[in-house]
Amino acid sequence: MLVRSLTLATLLCAASPLFAADSDAPLARELGKARPLVVIAPSSADPTLRGLSQAIKDPATEAGFKERALVLYSVANMIGMRDDKNLEQQATMALIRELKLGASKGTRVILVGKDGERHVLKDGDSAEPLEPQAIFKAVDELPASEKAITAPEPAAAAAAPTPDKPGAKQAKPAKPGKPSAPPKPLED
């Protein structure tokens, strides 16, 4: 019994980082689906962050964001948001870790492509806000290979049977078998 418990504990210790990596990586979830635009500001009153938040409320800018598959992530005062919806603290910290940024006093704006490549649009202490048109221009200038990337198909959709030829017979589904007998209890 002790051996089984130790084996189970060892397996859980080995597998737990893999489960954690899947659950708390916001940029990894967007890979192939959208282009995250990450704004890291020292406060929520930052002119760049406020300007982008106000610009997204404009229907024309919102349509430009949707057309280019942009998703706005913002971090201000260690509070993260994705499209004006709060992120959990663990997801916010994972976002900051995932970007691997050093210390900075100013606002940073980073565009992450569908392929995961990072493009810094603004870095530093400049007080001038970043216009949405500059962001759209940066997205439009991305290489064609990045624009062709799509989200990977789920494995179930790829395994769906397709008829090869119109006259070909399809395999019959297998009959369900008899249920097996319950296992015998182990003796220690």
Side-chain angles (χ1 to χ4, degrees):
M1 188 71 177
L2 179 64
V3 172
R4 281 190 236 151
S5 298
L6 289 174
T7 304
L8 181 62
T10 304
L11 287 174
L12 286 175
C13 287
S16 62
L18 297 175
F19 292 128
D22 287 343
S23 65
D24 66 350
L27 295 181
R29 283 187 234 133
E30 303 288 348
L31 196 64
K33 299 175 188 171
R35 294 181 183 94
L37 179 69
V38 184
V39 180
I40 299 180
S43 73
S44 58
D46 183 70
T48 302
L49 181 58
R50 294 184 93 201
L52 281 174
S53 297
Q54 292 297 324
I56 290 177
K57 292 177 183 173
D58 177 41
T61 307
E62 184 179 7
F65 263 70
K66 286 182 181 178
E67 176 185 326
R68 292 168 178 85
L70 286 168
V71 178
L72 179 66
Y73 280 91
S74 62
V75 178
N77 293 331
M78 303 307 281
I79 298 171
M81 299 183 91
R82 179 189 188 273
D83 287 338
D84 289 333
K85 293 182 179 82
N86 288 333
L87 289 174
E88 294 178 3
Q89 189 66 28
Q90 181 180 3
T92 303
M93 293 300 119
L95 175 68
I96 294 170
R97 277 192 312 270
E98 206 171 355
L99 290 172
K100 299 178 185 172
L101 300 173
S104 175
K105 291 182 182 179
T107 302
R108 291 184 175 187
V109 180
I110 300 148
L111 174 66
V112 181
K114 285 184 179 180
D115 57 356
E117 188 174 335
R118 293 167 179 83
H119 309 276
V120 178
L121 301 179
K122 182 179 178 182
D123 186 14
D125 299 326
S126 64
E128 60 192 51
L130 187 64
E131 295 296 322
Q133 298 308 321
I135 296 168
F136 296 157
K137 182 180 176 190
V139 171
D140 294 339
E141 290 175 352
L142 290 174
S145 61
E146 189 274 342
K147 292 177 184 173
I149 292 177
T150 58
E153 291 183 9
T162 57
D164 294 336
K165 297 178 184 174
K169 290 185 177 180
Q170 295 208 0
K172 292 182 181 179
K175 285 191 209 177
K178 293 181 181 178
S180 62
K184 295 179 183 178
L186 297 175
E187 296 179 19
D188 286 332

